[in-house]
Amino acid sequence: MNGMNWRGIRAVMRKDLKVVTRSKMIMLPMIILPVILLVIFPLLFGLAAIFGGDMLAGEMDDFRQMMGMMPPQLLEQWQGLDMNALFFQLMAVYAFAPMFLIVPMMVASVIAADSFVGERERKTLEALLYTPLTNRELLAAKMLTALLAALVVELLGFVLYAVVVNAVGWPLMGRIFFPNVTWIIMVVWLGPAVAALGLGLTVLISSRVSTFQEAYQLGGIVVLPIVALMIGQFAGVVYFGPGLVLGLGLVVWIIDAVIVWFGVQTFDRDALLARL
């Protein structure tokens, strides 16, 4: 990283962040999805646990079967909880954890999708490519913009989710119980790695397609592993605990490094100019 033109990189980042805040196409998904995932979902979990006691009782056999697939180390943490509190813990704290990763990944992907193809649609790509920034510096500016925005939204979203979960869960738990160790590791380690994965792939896609919608839709493929992880939890195949989160984070960071290296090696300004 020595010899990098950080002044030029920061200039591109400031310009991109201004574009982001002024674009409804970019801002709306960054607002709507976190509100749905981090506010509405925990509220629904809490209301179902508090006021849906009869409904839960009617589904007791299915609930017991689901709990039977949970790892023993997780069940030990929930000893002494009644059925309603157990349901809320299962949904809001354990099952929902992988879904939270969609927030930083989505934010990073939306902004990264606009990185080059958005410049082309706004007729500003040619001016950008003729700047004195090297290929590595230009890619760094685009990726850091998306990563910075994703980390800010992730942190704010985590704080918001913690407030909502503790507030809704207070009648059930009688105490502040969230976050746990798994969530803290996920927010500071795995979440940034997942955001970097989403933005890295999407930036590469953005430099090769013609429209924002194409880049965003293709970049959305990276959400599939998160969905698979959530399904694996319910099936009892994986246990989303501290060890798994640390290991997944390490693997994803290694993949990120490969993607960044590949992006630097394959980035072609002349090819971008030819598609103008």
Side-chain angles (χ1 to χ4, degrees):
M1 301 296 280
N2 291 335
M4 294 278 280
N5 181 6
W6 288 106
R7 183 177 179 180
I9 291 173
R10 287 193 295 270
V12 174
M13 291 177 64
R14 283 193 297 269
K15 177 189 69 69
D16 285 354
L17 289 173
K18 287 180 181 179
V19 171
V20 167
T21 56
R22 294 173 182 173
S23 172
K24 291 182 180 179
M25 185 180 295
I26 300 175
M27 288 299 295
L28 284 177
M30 289 173 54
I31 295 173
I32 293 174
L33 184 60
V35 169
I36 292 174
L37 291 179
L38 307 180
V39 177
I40 296 178
F41 273 31
L43 283 174
L44 292 177
F45 297 152
L47 291 174
I50 295 171
F51 300 108
D54 294 338
M55 179 184 69
L56 293 177
E59 302 294 333
M60 196 63 179
D61 290 340
D62 292 339
F63 190 67
R64 284 200 183 99
Q65 184 177 3
M66 183 185 299
M67 294 306 297
M69 293 187 293
M70 296 295 104
Q73 58 267 47
L74 186 63
L75 295 177
E76 290 176 4
Q77 301 174 22
W78 294 342
Q79 284 185 350
L81 296 179
D82 62 28
M83 182 178 65
N84 290 3
L86 196 58
F87 171 81
F88 186 68
Q89 283 271 12
L90 174 65
M91 297 305 297
V93 180
Y94 179 69
F96 191 79
M99 290 293 290
F100 178 83
L101 295 172
I102 291 178
V103 172
M105 175 177 283
M106 182 276 302
V107 172
S109 297
V110 168
I111 297 176
D114 187 67
S115 57
F116 290 107
V117 73
E119 299 273 7
R120 181 184 296 117
E121 292 178 341
R122 292 187 295 271
K123 311 299 183 183
T124 57
L125 180 58
E126 186 173 6
L128 177 67
L129 294 177
Y130 280 124
T131 61
L133 295 179
T134 65
N135 289 349
R136 183 174 63 169
E137 291 164 349
L138 190 54
L139 281 174
K142 291 297 186 179
M143 290 185 175
L144 288 174
T145 300
L147 184 60
L148 177 62
L151 295 184
V152 170
V153 174
E154 181 200 30
L155 181 58
L156 293 176
F158 173 62
V159 172
L160 178 63
Y161 189 74
V163 170
V164 173
V165 167
N166 282 304
V168 175
W170 186 272
L172 297 166
M173 306 298 297
R175 59 185 175 86
I176 294 176
F177 62 95
F178 182 88
N180 57 19
V181 174
T182 298
W183 273 80
I184 292 173
I185 297 173
M186 182 176 68
V187 170
V188 301
W189 175 245
L190 181 56
V194 166
L197 176 63
L199 74 89
L201 290 173
T202 310
V203 163
L204 293 180
I205 292 170
S206 178
S207 65
R208 289 163 170 79
V209 298
S210 302
T211 66
F212 172 83
Q213 291 297 336
E214 283 182 275
Y216 183 51
Q217 290 170 3
L218 290 172
I221 295 174
V222 296
V223 175
L224 295 179
I226 294 178
V227 176
L229 184 60
M230 188 173 181
I231 294 174
Q233 282 196 116
F234 279 111
V237 177
V238 296
Y239 165 47
F240 205 73
L244 178 63
V245 174
L246 285 170
L248 282 176
L250 179 60
V251 171
V252 176
W253 278 119
I254 292 173
I255 296 173
D256 294 340
V258 173
I259 290 173
V260 170
W261 176 85
F262 179 77
V264 172
Q265 298 299 315
T266 60
F267 183 71
D268 188 345
R269 294 166 100 111
D270 293 334
L272 282 173
L273 285 169
R275 288 200 294 269
L276 288 176

